[in-house]
Amino acid sequence: SQKIEQNSEALNIQEGKTATLTCNYTNYSPAYLQWYRQDPGRGPVFLLLIRENEKEKRKERLKVTFDTTLKQSLFHITASQPADSATYLCALYQGGKLIFGQGTELSVKP
Amino acid sequence: EAQVTQNPRYLITVTGKKLTVTCSQNMNHEYMSWYRQDPGLGLRQIYYSMNVEVTDKGDVPEGYKVSRKEKRNFPLILESPSPNQTSLYFCASSPGQGVKTQYFGPGTRLLVL
């Protein structure tokens, strides 16, 4: 069956460290993958898109990698700040639709 | 300001009483979509629309209807709501006919008693 998996357990890290979030998928062949940020009670906000022929994408303190062989994307936040605390969702594009993972909650402690 | 708006933001209703949640975007986007978000299940797509008068089912369409008569509006209709439709609903839009970056509305929290 098709599945997208993100770490269900919350990730707690210290301010200034690098946060790494994982998105694994099975039985999909996405043309691209996206990462969104969601704050409690609010709609997701787009962060980054990476295509299947791209290995890595960066935007300020954010970096995304996409390994189609491993069927995995990693999302990194360097020099993390308490304001980065949120739930981060990955989403695959396939068949005209975006399919979302359940999200990983990140908590950055000062 | 470019945005997706939804109304109402909060709604409590009773089983069987028809309701409509409106969604409007001012970005001239072709693609619009409805999602529901439930604890442990994540975001699941209900219906989507590639353009005016074109709608298609997502993963969980049962119990919902949509229409796309104008480009900017994409209302979600619950003809006979049931308690299992209690959820947080999001409308989203995206430029172009294929879904790329999605812009989400603020959400509508629905409780069906």
Side-chain angles (χ1 to χ4, degrees):
Chain A
S1 65
Q2 295 176 320
K3 211 163 34 170
I4 303 172
E5 288 183 334
Q6 296 186 251
N7 291 353
S8 56
E9 288 184 18
L11 179 63
N12 297 301
I13 65 169
Q14 208 65 33
E15 183 176 7
K17 300 292 187 185
T18 295
T20 298
L21 285 69
T22 305
C23 177
N24 294 302
Y25 60 93
T26 55
N27 295 325
Y28 286 110
S29 298
Y32 57 80
L33 185 148
Q34 301 180 0
W35 284 87
Y36 288 78
R37 168 184 173 140
Q38 186 174 23
D39 292 288
R42 307 190 73 167
V45 174
F46 170 78
L47 295 175
L48 280 167
L49 179 153
I50 186 164
R51 302 181 189 283
E52 60 180 334
N53 60 350
E54 296 175 317
K55 291 278 190 264
E56 182 179 296
K57 203 80 168 278
R58 290 176 187 261
K59 179 182 175 184
E60 297 171 354
R61 294 184 296 112
L62 308 180
K63 184 178 88 171
V64 172
T65 63
F66 191 12
D67 189 326
T68 54
T69 303
L70 288 179
K71 295 187 181 295
Q72 180 182 77
S73 175
L74 298 179
F75 177 80
H76 306 273
I77 306 175
T78 57
S80 61
Q81 304 165 0
D84 294 326
S85 298
T87 295
Y88 292 86
L89 309 171
C90 70
L92 308 181
Y93 174 76
Q94 180 148 357
K97 299 189 288 186
L98 265 187
I99 302 143
F100 285 84
Q102 291 188 35
T104 298
E105 184 180 348
L106 171 67
S107 178
V108 181
K109 305 292 185 194
Chain B
E1 181 192 352
Q3 61 183 347
V4 178
T5 55
Q6 295 178 227
N7 283 293
R9 294 290 314 281
Y10 304 91
L11 181 59
I12 300 174
T13 189
V14 295
T15 299
K17 187 175 180 182
K18 181 180 177 180
L19 68 91
T20 299
V21 184
T22 64
C23 172
S24 184
Q25 51 93 5
N26 62 1
M27 295 171 280
N28 201 37
H29 286 170
E30 284 82 4
Y31 185 99
M32 296 186 75
S33 181
W34 275 103
Y35 295 88
R36 61 178 289 175
Q37 188 173 38
D38 302 289
L41 296 175
L43 271 168
R44 294 179 294 166
Q45 191 176 49
I46 304 171
Y47 269 94
Y48 63 99
S49 170
M50 294 276 197
N51 215 326
V52 175
E53 301 293 359
V54 180
T55 63
D56 213 340
K57 293 177 181 179
D59 297 316
V60 288
E62 295 77 22
Y64 304 95
K65 283 174 58 175
V66 293
S67 69
R68 188 90 181 273
K69 293 184 170 57
E70 312 164 89
K71 199 172 189 179
R72 63 182 293 126
N73 296 324
F74 191 43
L76 179 69
I77 303 155
L78 284 72
E79 294 269 3
S80 183
S82 61
N84 65 13
Q85 292 178 297
T86 292
S87 187
L88 179 57
Y89 291 87
F90 290 103
C91 180
S93 71
S94 183
Q97 295 213 342
V99 58
K100 303 262 184 348
T101 304
Q102 293 217 51
Y103 295 82
F104 283 83
T108 294
R109 193 168 289 280
L110 173 65
L111 173 60
V112 183
L113 300 172

